[in-house]
Amino acid sequence: MTTVANRPRAKVHNRDRDAEILDAARTVFEERGFEAASIAGIARRAHVAEGTIYLYSATKRDLLLKVVRRWYEGLIAEIEEALAERVSVEAKLRYFAHRQFRVFAEDAAIGRLLVRELRTAPDYADTDLYQLNRRYTRLFTSAVRAGIETGEISSEVPSNLARDLFFGGIEHAGMGGMGGLGPARIAERAETFFALFWKAVAGDAVASEAPRRSGFAKRV
Amino acid sequence: MTTVANRPRAKVHNRDRDAEILDAARTVFEERGFEAASIAGIARRAHVAEGTIYLYSATKRDLLLKVVRRWYEGLIAEIEEALAERVSVEAKLRYFAHRQFRVFAEDAAIGRLLVRELRTAPDYADTDLYQLNRRYTRLFTSAVRAGIETGEISSEVPSNLARDLFFGGIEHAGMGGMGGLGPARIAERAETFFALFWKAVAGDAVASEAPRRSGFAKRV
């Protein structure tokens, strides 16, 4: 009886501890980079014994994978929910553009870890990160396809090219670094970018209206 | 008298030899990657003694820099000439899009060397490669500004965002790899991309005409 009763509590406790380890690992990886980060340093930061980390994760790379996966899953869940709350495809994609700009502004360090340490690894296509990346871009291309159905987006726009323009354009805009910009400037850039993107993809019916409605932010 | 007469011939001879060394180095770097490439292997391929390479370039990294610089300067000169031959900004930017797609299709290996070994190095902003990159993107932004002057491009389009959309979009489209595609498919993709880009940036006067005139290529 006691063992059964204790089980849920032990699980909750472990989940808290796991979250503490992942929080500590993320901080150390972001501050020091993957190479310089040490399991000992992460254990100190999480207030656990080094052996506890190894029980949780066999290698430093596996620990990084877990950190990035948790971040990615949280981001996907957040975007999924926000897209479901919006009705028009224009509103969905505008939200997505703003959120993606904020990824570059707020999560630049973990994004760099993802690209440098994991996405360029030879086994990337076999990892579940690759699957998460597909889920992420599918949120976008599904919205584009829905927009083609409703006529909000021109049926002549190939969804893969819309995707390249959207993610490639934002990535390029974020390369110069947006860490120093406040939320208002980030939002302004996202809005200007979205106006340009929407003009490229909007269907004939909304195209003539769209630039006036959404408006270009003042030139930065 | 003989020394003076011989000087030009010696220079020509050296320039040929330099080109042979750079050709051999490019081939070896592209085939083996930077780490695995050896000065000895490059010397063998260029049919010169290993010491001759060191006379020409003190380090392997310096040799890579010279290879990439020669390629980059050739590309810039070619684009500069082609842009000068075209009158309308639309024709200039369409050419640029096609050429940039071909960079990803034909020069992917040297592009990867540039990004991985040189552009991510901490001293990149101090190198002349950085200056070449600025010259390259300025070819684009100058054309955009000229287009804003003539009204071909909307005055509401910030030239830095047009640049992000253009280079970021093509980079993203090229990431999946275009090595297996023939010239016709590359041209088709470039044309579809350009139609989308041009719709985003074209001024009101040409915007309503542009999609019909340039036409979207069939969905790939």
Side-chain angles (χ1 to χ4, degrees):
Chain A
M1 281 292 273
T2 37
T3 29
V4 173
N6 280 343
R7 228 180 250 155
R9 193 186 294 178
K11 260 190 190 160
V12 168
H13 182 77
N14 277 344
R15 207 177 293 156
D16 284 356
R17 202 206 50 190
D18 292 355
E20 274 163 26
I21 290 175
L22 288 176
D23 285 343
R26 176 170 174 178
T27 307
V28 173
F29 282 133
E30 289 193 345
E31 282 177 8
R32 316 213 53 184
F34 181 71
E35 285 307 325
S38 73
I39 295 289
I42 292 167
R44 264 197 308 279
R45 171 98 53 165
H47 306 290
V48 299
E50 215 175 312
T52 310
I53 309 269
Y54 283 110
L55 279 179
Y56 178 65
S57 220
T59 64
K60 192 166 77 166
R61 187 164 187 268
D62 181 54
L63 192 54
L64 176 65
L65 257 168
K66 284 186 170 135
V67 166
V68 171
R69 193 191 298 138
R70 184 179 63 151
W71 166 75
Y72 219 153
E73 282 171 348
L75 180 65
I76 289 175
E78 184 193 327
I79 295 179
E80 263 173 353
E81 202 183 312
L83 294 184
E85 282 167 4
R86 285 159 176 80
V87 177
S88 78
V89 170
E90 184 183 355
K92 285 179 203 279
L93 294 184
R94 167 178 285 121
Y95 163 80
F96 211 138
H98 279 263
R99 190 64 192 86
Q100 184 75 355
F101 265 83
R102 284 208 286 122
V103 167
F104 279 93
E106 295 164 11
D107 297 333
I110 198 165
R112 262 196 304 276
L113 285 163
L114 168 62
V115 171
R116 274 194 205 152
E117 305 300 334
L118 305 172
R119 203 192 285 170
T120 49
D123 65 344
Y124 172 62
D126 304 324
T127 64
D128 53 358
L129 278 184
Y130 177 74
Q131 294 306 324
L132 285 172
N133 183 252
R134 285 175 61 93
R135 268 180 62 196
Y136 193 69
T137 50
R138 223 179 289 136
L139 291 176
F140 175 85
T141 45
S142 300
V144 168
R145 291 211 190 88
I148 291 176
E149 296 273 312
T150 63
E152 279 188 87
I153 290 179
S154 163
S155 60
E156 288 175 316
V157 172
S159 61
N160 57 350
L161 261 185
R163 179 201 62 205
D164 295 331
L165 211 61
F166 188 85
F167 290 106
I170 297 178
E171 200 167 314
H172 209 272
M175 261 175 18
M178 297 190 286
L181 299 180
R185 289 287 299 279
I186 302 290
E188 192 180 289
R189 285 205 185 183
E191 195 54 33
T192 313
F193 174 85
F194 179 74
L196 211 56
F197 171 78
W198 188 248
K199 205 175 148 200
V201 302
D204 282 347
V206 285
S208 53
E209 284 298 311
R212 239 155 309 171
R213 257 192 306 143
S214 57
F216 285 96
K218 276 215 326 260
R219 184 190 284 243
V220 194
Chain B
M1 280 290 272
T2 36
T3 29
V4 173
N6 279 345
R7 228 180 251 155
R9 191 186 295 176
K11 260 193 191 159
V12 168
H13 182 75
N14 278 344
R15 207 176 295 157
D16 283 356
R17 203 208 49 191
D18 292 354
E20 273 163 27
I21 290 175
L22 289 176
D23 285 343
R26 177 170 175 177
T27 306
V28 173
F29 282 134
E30 290 193 344
E31 283 177 6
R32 315 215 53 185
F34 180 70
E35 284 308 324
S38 73
I39 295 289
I42 292 168
R44 266 197 307 278
R45 172 98 54 163
H47 307 290
V48 300
E50 216 174 312
T52 309
I53 308 271
Y54 283 111
L55 279 178
Y56 177 65
S57 221
T59 64
K60 192 166 78 165
R61 186 165 187 268
D62 181 55
L63 191 54
L64 175 64
L65 257 169
K66 283 186 171 137
V67 166
V68 170
R69 193 191 298 138
R70 184 179 64 152
W71 166 75
Y72 219 155
E73 283 172 348
L75 180 64
I76 290 175
E78 183 192 328
I79 295 179
E80 264 173 353
E81 202 182 311
L83 294 184
E85 281 167 4
R86 285 159 175 80
V87 177
S88 78
V89 170
E90 185 182 356
K92 285 179 203 281
L93 294 184
R94 167 177 285 120
Y95 163 81
F96 211 138
H98 278 263
R99 190 64 191 85
Q100 185 74 355
F101 265 83
R102 283 208 285 122
V103 167
F104 280 93
E106 295 164 11
D107 296 333
I110 198 165
R112 263 196 302 275
L113 286 163
L114 168 61
V115 171
R116 273 194 207 154
E117 305 300 334
L118 305 172
R119 204 193 281 171
T120 49
D123 65 344
Y124 173 63
D126 303 324
T127 63
D128 52 358
L129 277 185
Y130 178 73
Q131 293 306 323
L132 284 171
N133 184 252
R134 285 176 60 94
R135 268 180 61 196
Y136 193 68
T137 49
R138 223 178 289 135
L139 290 176
F140 175 85
T141 44
S142 300
V144 167
R145 290 213 190 87
I148 291 174
E149 295 273 313
T150 63
E152 279 188 87
I153 290 180
S154 163
S155 61
E156 287 175 318
V157 172
S159 61
N160 56 350
L161 261 186
R163 178 202 63 205
D164 295 331
L165 211 60
F166 187 85
F167 289 107
I170 297 178
E171 202 166 311
H172 210 272
M175 260 174 20
M178 296 190 286
L181 300 180
R185 289 288 297 279
I186 301 290
E188 192 181 290
R189 286 204 183 184
E191 194 56 33
T192 312
F193 173 86
F194 178 74
L196 211 56
F197 170 79
W198 188 248
K199 204 175 149 202
V201 302
D204 282 347
V206 284
S208 53
E209 283 297 311
R212 237 155 311 170
R213 258 193 303 142
S214 56
F216 285 95
K218 274 214 327 259
R219 183 190 284 242
V220 194

PDB file of all heavy atoms in Angstrom, chain B residues 86-105:
ATOM      1  N   ARG B  86      22.019  45.067 -68.327  1.00  0.00           N
ATOM      2  CA  ARG B  86      20.556  45.075 -68.283  1.00  0.00           C
ATOM      3  C   ARG B  86      20.032  46.452 -67.892  1.00  0.00           C
ATOM      4  O   ARG B  86      20.622  47.118 -67.039  1.00  0.00           O
ATOM      5  CB  ARG B  86      20.065  44.001 -67.305  1.00  0.00           C
ATOM      6  CG  ARG B  86      20.212  42.610 -67.905  1.00  0.00           C
ATOM      7  CD  ARG B  86      20.231  41.508 -66.890  1.00  0.00           C
ATOM      8  NE  ARG B  86      20.266  40.202 -67.546  1.00  0.00           N
ATOM      9  CZ  ARG B  86      21.392  39.641 -68.044  1.00  0.00           C
ATOM     10  NH1 ARG B  86      22.559  40.273 -67.950  1.00  0.00           N
ATOM     11  NH2 ARG B  86      21.330  38.466 -68.645  1.00  0.00           N
ATOM     12  N   VAL B  87      18.925  46.859 -68.490  1.00  0.00           N
ATOM     13  CA  VAL B  87      18.422  48.211 -68.268  1.00  0.00           C
ATOM     14  C   VAL B  87      17.433  48.258 -67.097  1.00  0.00           C
ATOM     15  O   VAL B  87      17.646  48.970 -66.125  1.00  0.00           O
ATOM     16  CB  VAL B  87      17.756  48.781 -69.548  1.00  0.00           C
ATOM     17  CG1 VAL B  87      17.176  50.171 -69.265  1.00  0.00           C
ATOM     18  CG2 VAL B  87      18.787  48.847 -70.677  1.00  0.00           C
ATOM     19  N   SER B  88      16.372  47.446 -67.167  1.00  0.00           N
ATOM     20  CA  SER B  88      15.355  47.542 -66.122  1.00  0.00           C
ATOM     21  C   SER B  88      15.830  46.866 -64.845  1.00  0.00           C
ATOM     22  O   SER B  88      16.614  45.917 -64.872  1.00  0.00           O
ATOM     23  CB  SER B  88      14.045  46.907 -66.594  1.00  0.00           C
ATOM     24  OG  SER B  88      14.119  45.502 -66.501  1.00  0.00           O
ATOM     25  N   VAL B  89      15.345  47.386 -63.708  1.00  0.00           N
ATOM     26  CA  VAL B  89      15.695  46.800 -62.419  1.00  0.00           C
ATOM     27  C   VAL B  89      15.112  45.392 -62.312  1.00  0.00           C
ATOM     28  O   VAL B  89      15.730  44.488 -61.751  1.00  0.00           O
ATOM     29  CB  VAL B  89      15.207  47.713 -61.267  1.00  0.00           C
ATOM     30  CG1 VAL B  89      15.339  47.009 -59.918  1.00  0.00           C
ATOM     31  CG2 VAL B  89      16.005  49.013 -61.263  1.00  0.00           C
ATOM     32  N   GLU B  90      13.940  45.191 -62.885  1.00  0.00           N
ATOM     33  CA  GLU B  90      13.345  43.853 -62.876  1.00  0.00           C
ATOM     34  C   GLU B  90      14.277  42.849 -63.569  1.00  0.00           C
ATOM     35  O   GLU B  90      14.516  41.760 -63.047  1.00  0.00           O
ATOM     36  CB  GLU B  90      11.977  43.874 -63.572  1.00  0.00           C
ATOM     37  CG  GLU B  90      11.274  42.524 -63.487  1.00  0.00           C
ATOM     38  CD  GLU B  90       9.926  42.495 -64.225  1.00  0.00           C
ATOM     39  OE1 GLU B  90       9.507  43.555 -64.743  1.00  0.00           O
ATOM     40  OE2 GLU B  90       9.325  41.422 -64.300  1.00  0.00           O
ATOM     41  N   ALA B  91      14.819  43.243 -64.732  1.00  0.00           N
ATOM     42  CA  ALA B  91      15.721  42.341 -65.466  1.00  0.00           C
ATOM     43  C   ALA B  91      17.007  42.087 -64.669  1.00  0.00           C
ATOM     44  O   ALA B  91      17.528  40.975 -64.636  1.00  0.00           O
ATOM     45  CB  ALA B  91      16.052  42.921 -66.842  1.00  0.00           C
ATOM     46  N   LYS B  92      17.513  43.132 -64.012  1.00  0.00           N
ATOM     47  CA  LYS B  92      18.735  42.980 -63.195  1.00  0.00           C
ATOM     48  C   LYS B  92      18.498  41.979 -62.068  1.00  0.00           C
ATOM     49  O   LYS B  92      19.292  41.063 -61.832  1.00  0.00           O
ATOM     50  CB  LYS B  92      19.140  44.333 -62.580  1.00  0.00           C
ATOM     51  CG  LYS B  92      19.789  45.330 -63.555  1.00  0.00           C
ATOM     52  CD  LYS B  92      20.112  46.633 -62.803  1.00  0.00           C
ATOM     53  CE  LYS B  92      20.234  47.841 -63.716  1.00  0.00           C
ATOM     54  NZ  LYS B  92      21.523  47.948 -64.421  1.00  0.00           N
ATOM     55  N   LEU B  93      17.388  42.166 -61.347  1.00  0.00           N
ATOM     56  CA  LEU B  93      17.142  41.310 -60.182  1.00  0.00           C
ATOM     57  C   LEU B  93      16.744  39.891 -60.599  1.00  0.00           C
ATOM     58  O   LEU B  93      17.063  38.931 -59.900  1.00  0.00           O
ATOM     59  CB  LEU B  93      16.094  41.932 -59.259  1.00  0.00           C
ATOM     60  CG  LEU B  93      16.529  43.246 -58.590  1.00  0.00           C
ATOM     61  CD1 LEU B  93      15.462  43.739 -57.629  1.00  0.00           C
ATOM     62  CD2 LEU B  93      17.863  43.087 -57.855  1.00  0.00           C
ATOM     63  N   ARG B  94      16.073  39.763 -61.735  1.00  0.00           N
ATOM     64  CA  ARG B  94      15.761  38.412 -62.227  1.00  0.00           C
ATOM     65  C   ARG B  94      17.071  37.679 -62.550  1.00  0.00           C
ATOM     66  O   ARG B  94      17.243  36.523 -62.171  1.00  0.00           O
ATOM     67  CB  ARG B  94      14.883  38.483 -63.471  1.00  0.00           C
ATOM     68  CG  ARG B  94      14.809  37.114 -64.182  1.00  0.00           C
ATOM     69  CD  ARG B  94      13.895  37.114 -65.385  1.00  0.00           C
ATOM     70  NE  ARG B  94      12.508  37.109 -64.984  1.00  0.00           N
ATOM     71  CZ  ARG B  94      11.628  38.036 -65.293  1.00  0.00           C
ATOM     72  NH1 ARG B  94      11.996  39.051 -66.024  1.00  0.00           N
ATOM     73  NH2 ARG B  94      10.386  37.937 -64.878  1.00  0.00           N
ATOM     74  N   TYR B  95      17.979  38.369 -63.259  1.00  0.00           N
ATOM     75  CA  TYR B  95      19.275  37.745 -63.528  1.00  0.00           C
ATOM     76  C   TYR B  95      19.960  37.325 -62.226  1.00  0.00           C
ATOM     77  O   TYR B  95      20.471  36.213 -62.088  1.00  0.00           O
ATOM     78  CB  TYR B  95      20.193  38.706 -64.305  1.00  0.00           C
ATOM     79  CG  TYR B  95      21.633  38.250 -64.237  1.00  0.00           C
ATOM     80  CD1 TYR B  95      22.104  37.249 -65.091  1.00  0.00           C
ATOM     81  CD2 TYR B  95      22.508  38.767 -63.274  1.00  0.00           C
ATOM     82  CE1 TYR B  95      23.403  36.785 -64.985  1.00  0.00           C
ATOM     83  CE2 TYR B  95      23.806  38.301 -63.170  1.00  0.00           C
ATOM     84  CZ  TYR B  95      24.248  37.310 -64.024  1.00  0.00           C
ATOM     85  OH  TYR B  95      25.534  36.842 -63.902  1.00  0.00           O
ATOM     86  N   PHE B  96      19.958  38.235 -61.245  1.00  0.00           N
ATOM     87  CA  PHE B  96      20.633  37.985 -59.969  1.00  0.00           C
ATOM     88  C   PHE B  96      20.049  36.734 -59.300  1.00  0.00           C
ATOM     89  O   PHE B  96      20.775  35.893 -58.755  1.00  0.00           O
ATOM     90  CB  PHE B  96      20.492  39.200 -59.054  1.00  0.00           C
ATOM     91  CG  PHE B  96      21.654  39.418 -58.115  1.00  0.00           C
ATOM     92  CD1 PHE B  96      22.146  40.703 -57.894  1.00  0.00           C
ATOM     93  CD2 PHE B  96      22.252  38.371 -57.440  1.00  0.00           C
ATOM     94  CE1 PHE B  96      23.211  40.924 -57.035  1.00  0.00           C
ATOM     95  CE2 PHE B  96      23.319  38.580 -56.574  1.00  0.00           C
ATOM     96  CZ  PHE B  96      23.800  39.862 -56.368  1.00  0.00           C
ATOM     97  N   ALA B  97      18.721  36.597 -59.328  1.00  0.00           N
ATOM     98  CA  ALA B  97      18.085  35.423 -58.714  1.00  0.00           C
ATOM     99  C   ALA B  97      18.543  34.137 -59.401  1.00  0.00           C
ATOM    100  O   ALA B  97      18.911  33.161 -58.748  1.00  0.00           O
ATOM    101  CB  ALA B  97      16.561  35.558 -58.775  1.00  0.00           C
ATOM    102  N   HIS B  98      18.537  34.161 -60.742  1.00  0.00           N
ATOM    103  CA  HIS B  98      18.987  32.970 -61.482  1.00  0.00           C
ATOM    104  C   HIS B  98      20.444  32.631 -61.151  1.00  0.00           C
ATOM    105  O   HIS B  98      20.792  31.481 -60.898  1.00  0.00           O
ATOM    106  CB  HIS B  98      18.834  33.195 -62.989  1.00  0.00           C
ATOM    107  CG  HIS B  98      17.444  32.950 -63.483  1.00  0.00           C
ATOM    108  ND1 HIS B  98      17.051  31.764 -64.044  1.00  0.00           N
ATOM    109  CD2 HIS B  98      16.341  33.744 -63.479  1.00  0.00           C
ATOM    110  CE1 HIS B  98      15.772  31.825 -64.374  1.00  0.00           C
ATOM    111  NE2 HIS B  98      15.316  33.021 -64.048  1.00  0.00           N
ATOM    112  N   ARG B  99      21.290  33.671 -61.130  1.00  0.00           N
ATOM    113  CA  ARG B  99      22.720  33.430 -60.860  1.00  0.00           C
ATOM    114  C   ARG B  99      22.917  32.883 -59.454  1.00  0.00           C
ATOM    115  O   ARG B  99      23.752  32.006 -59.221  1.00  0.00           O
ATOM    116  CB  ARG B  99      23.502  34.741 -61.051  1.00  0.00           C
ATOM    117  CG  ARG B  99      25.012  34.552 -61.040  1.00  0.00           C
ATOM    118  CD  ARG B  99      25.447  33.705 -62.218  1.00  0.00           C
ATOM    119  NE  ARG B  99      26.839  33.265 -62.131  1.00  0.00           N
ATOM    120  CZ  ARG B  99      27.241  32.178 -61.477  1.00  0.00           C
ATOM    121  NH1 ARG B  99      26.374  31.434 -60.832  1.00  0.00           N
ATOM    122  NH2 ARG B  99      28.522  31.826 -61.456  1.00  0.00           N
ATOM    123  N   GLN B 100      22.146  33.425 -58.497  1.00  0.00           N
ATOM    124  CA  GLN B 100      22.284  33.003 -57.098  1.00  0.00           C
ATOM    125  C   GLN B 100      21.805  31.554 -56.929  1.00  0.00           C
ATOM    126  O   GLN B 100      22.410  30.795 -56.169  1.00  0.00           O
ATOM    127  CB  GLN B 100      21.494  33.972 -56.205  1.00  0.00           C
ATOM    128  CG  GLN B 100      21.632  33.729 -54.709  1.00  0.00           C
ATOM    129  CD  GLN B 100      22.979  34.170 -54.151  1.00  0.00           C
ATOM    130  OE1 GLN B 100      23.869  34.590 -54.894  1.00  0.00           O
ATOM    131  NE2 GLN B 100      23.151  34.041 -52.860  1.00  0.00           N
ATOM    132  N   PHE B 101      20.762  31.166 -57.606  1.00  0.00           N
ATOM    133  CA  PHE B 101      20.339  29.759 -57.570  1.00  0.00           C
ATOM    134  C   PHE B 101      21.451  28.872 -58.132  1.00  0.00           C
ATOM    135  O   PHE B 101      21.712  27.791 -57.615  1.00  0.00           O
ATOM    136  CB  PHE B 101      19.034  29.549 -58.361  1.00  0.00           C
ATOM    137  CG  PHE B 101      17.800  29.599 -57.504  1.00  0.00           C
ATOM    138  CD1 PHE B 101      17.228  30.808 -57.157  1.00  0.00           C
ATOM    139  CD2 PHE B 101      17.212  28.437 -57.012  1.00  0.00           C
ATOM    140  CE1 PHE B 101      16.098  30.874 -56.343  1.00  0.00           C
ATOM    141  CE2 PHE B 101      16.084  28.482 -56.204  1.00  0.00           C
ATOM    142  CZ  PHE B 101      15.525  29.704 -55.866  1.00  0.00           C
ATOM    143  N   ARG B 102      22.107  29.338 -59.203  1.00  0.00           N
ATOM    144  CA  ARG B 102      23.177  28.533 -59.795  1.00  0.00           C
ATOM    145  C   ARG B 102      24.377  28.409 -58.849  1.00  0.00           C
ATOM    146  O   ARG B 102      25.083  27.403 -58.868  1.00  0.00           O
ATOM    147  CB  ARG B 102      23.604  29.113 -61.148  1.00  0.00           C
ATOM    148  CG  ARG B 102      22.596  28.780 -62.260  1.00  0.00           C
ATOM    149  CD  ARG B 102      23.266  28.726 -63.614  1.00  0.00           C
ATOM    150  NE  ARG B 102      23.574  30.071 -64.089  1.00  0.00           N
ATOM    151  CZ  ARG B 102      24.793  30.496 -64.414  1.00  0.00           C
ATOM    152  NH1 ARG B 102      25.831  29.683 -64.331  1.00  0.00           N
ATOM    153  NH2 ARG B 102      24.972  31.727 -64.828  1.00  0.00           N
ATOM    154  N   VAL B 103      24.613  29.429 -58.025  1.00  0.00           N
ATOM    155  CA  VAL B 103      25.685  29.314 -57.026  1.00  0.00           C
ATOM    156  C   VAL B 103      25.436  28.095 -56.144  1.00  0.00           C
ATOM    157  O   VAL B 103      26.334  27.291 -55.900  1.00  0.00           O
ATOM    158  CB  VAL B 103      25.796  30.591 -56.163  1.00  0.00           C
ATOM    159  CG1 VAL B 103      26.671  30.342 -54.940  1.00  0.00           C
ATOM    160  CG2 VAL B 103      26.363  31.748 -56.980  1.00  0.00           C
ATOM    161  N   PHE B 104      24.180  27.952 -55.693  1.00  0.00           N
ATOM    162  CA  PHE B 104      23.864  26.825 -54.812  1.00  0.00           C
ATOM    163  C   PHE B 104      23.908  25.496 -55.542  1.00  0.00           C
ATOM    164  O   PHE B 104      24.208  24.466 -54.954  1.00  0.00           O
ATOM    165  CB  PHE B 104      22.498  27.027 -54.152  1.00  0.00           C
ATOM    166  CG  PHE B 104      22.576  27.956 -52.981  1.00  0.00           C
ATOM    167  CD1 PHE B 104      22.344  29.313 -53.134  1.00  0.00           C
ATOM    168  CD2 PHE B 104      22.941  27.474 -51.733  1.00  0.00           C
ATOM    169  CE1 PHE B 104      22.446  30.178 -52.058  1.00  0.00           C
ATOM    170  CE2 PHE B 104      23.045  28.328 -50.652  1.00  0.00           C
ATOM    171  CZ  PHE B 104      22.797  29.682 -50.813  1.00  0.00           C
ATOM    172  N   ALA B 105      23.586  25.530 -56.848  1.00  0.00           N
ATOM    173  CA  ALA B 105      23.582  24.284 -57.607  1.00  0.00           C
ATOM    174  C   ALA B 105      24.996  23.875 -58.017  1.00  0.00           C
ATOM    175  O   ALA B 105      25.367  22.706 -57.932  1.00  0.00           O
ATOM    176  CB  ALA B 105      22.710  24.437 -58.850  1.00  0.00           C
TER     177      ALA B 105
END
